[in-house]
């Protein structure tokens, strides 16, 4: 329920949120990585946590592990961070499918590293101009070949594949 409510509130597909939770934590609300990142959507307090809290509440706050281990909070912060990536940081990418691929990669490695894949610098606006000359398939292939980290390349494939699975499950449930 939280996922569907949040997805609707932020204008994102629930299957993406489910695919990210599956990939990030295997749906373990108490997951903690070495980074450290916390909870279902593996929120890093110093980056996604601060950005998202400021976006939602207009003030800077470093989120505690206790706050992020709360399932409702974690889904709200994680899905809102997806919204920020898609509708704010990557807004200059015109094709929705290309922007979708870049959003998945950016969730794992940051929008700057996505830009670096295309232009060799962290300039997202400059990268968007290049991305806008490419088909979504070309964007996906370039991300899979040139993202700075193997982990992010694997992550993009995993989340993208799982998004299709969750879309089918959601569709079945609605029939």
């Amino acid at each position: 329920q939280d996922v569907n409510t949040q997805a609707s509130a932020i204008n994102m597909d629930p299957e993406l949120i489910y695919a990210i939770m599956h990939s990030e934590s295997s749906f373990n609300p108490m997951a903690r990585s070495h980074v450290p990142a916390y909870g279902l959507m593996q929120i890093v307090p110093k980056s996604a946590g601060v950005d998202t809290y400021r976006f939602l509440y207009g003030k800077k706050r470093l989120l505690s592990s206790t706050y992020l281990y709360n399932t409702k909070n974690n889904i709200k912060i994680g899905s809102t961070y997806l919204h920020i990536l898609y509708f704010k940081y990557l807004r200059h990418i015109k094709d929705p499918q290309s922007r979708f691929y870049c959003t998945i990669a950016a969730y794992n490695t940051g929008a700057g590293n996505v830009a670096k894949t295309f232009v060799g610098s962290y300039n997202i606006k400059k990268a968007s101009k290049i991305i806008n000359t490419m088909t979504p398939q070309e964007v996906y292939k370039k991300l899979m070949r040139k993202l700075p980290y193997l982990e992010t390349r694997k992550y993009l494939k995993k989340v993208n594949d799982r998004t299709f699975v969750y879309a089918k499950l959601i569709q079945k449930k609605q029939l």
Side-chain angles (χ1 to χ4, degrees):
Q1 181 58 30
D2 284 342
V3 171
N4 293 335
T5 304
Q6 251 333 103
S8 177
I10 60 156
N11 197 23
M12 298 292 288
D13 293 327
E15 55 264 27
L16 175 59
I17 298 168
Y18 283 118
I20 285 188
M21 285 193 300
H22 186 168
S23 303
E24 289 285 351
S25 69
S26 299
F27 297 106
N28 176 1
M30 299 308 287
R32 182 185 188 275
S33 75
H34 67 280
V35 172
Y38 300 95
L40 287 169
M41 296 188 77
Q42 289 293 280
I43 307 301
V44 178
K46 290 179 185 170
S47 54
V50 170
D51 282 359
T52 305
Y53 197 86
R54 186 181 296 125
F55 177 84
L56 285 168
Y57 306 109
K59 52 188 166 203
K60 186 176 177 179
R61 177 177 170 197
L62 189 61
L63 302 175
S64 68
S65 57
T66 307
Y67 183 91
L68 292 171
Y69 283 136
N70 174 295
T71 300
K72 245 184 178 38
N73 293 342
N74 194 280
I75 293 169
K76 184 171 188 160
I77 296 294
S79 55
T80 302
Y81 186 58
L82 281 170
H83 174 91
I84 292 168
L85 290 169
Y86 189 88
F87 291 104
K88 186 179 176 193
Y89 296 160
L90 302 169
R91 71 185 177 277
H92 298 292
I93 300 171
K94 292 181 180 138
D95 185 274
Q97 191 64 43
S98 294
R99 198 181 332 165
F100 173 79
Y101 295 141
C102 292
T103 299
I104 293 170
Y107 191 90
N108 180 265
T109 193
N113 278 326
V114 170
K116 200 172 180 186
T117 302
F118 295 92
V119 292
S121 75
Y122 297 116
N123 188 324
I124 298 164
K125 209 169 183 177
K126 199 188 274 187
S128 296
K129 288 178 182 167
I130 304 285
I131 293 166
N132 288 337
T133 68
M134 301 168 79
T135 67
Q137 294 76 17
E138 291 169 335
V139 170
Y140 183 80
K141 282 180 186 170
K142 178 98 172 184
L143 288 166
M144 290 302 290
R145 277 195 323 271
K146 299 286 186 181
L147 274 162
Y149 304 105
L150 175 62
E151 176 199 329
T152 306
R153 295 191 295 269
K154 289 179 178 176
Y155 181 83
L156 173 58
K157 180 171 181 5
K158 201 180 342 178
V159 173
N160 186 49
D161 291 350
R162 287 176 174 164
T163 299
F164 287 109
V165 172
Y166 285 106
K168 284 189 170 101
L169 288 172
I170 290 167
Q171 192 177 24
K172 255 186 192 172
K173 199 175 178 185
Q174 292 171 345
L175 295 177

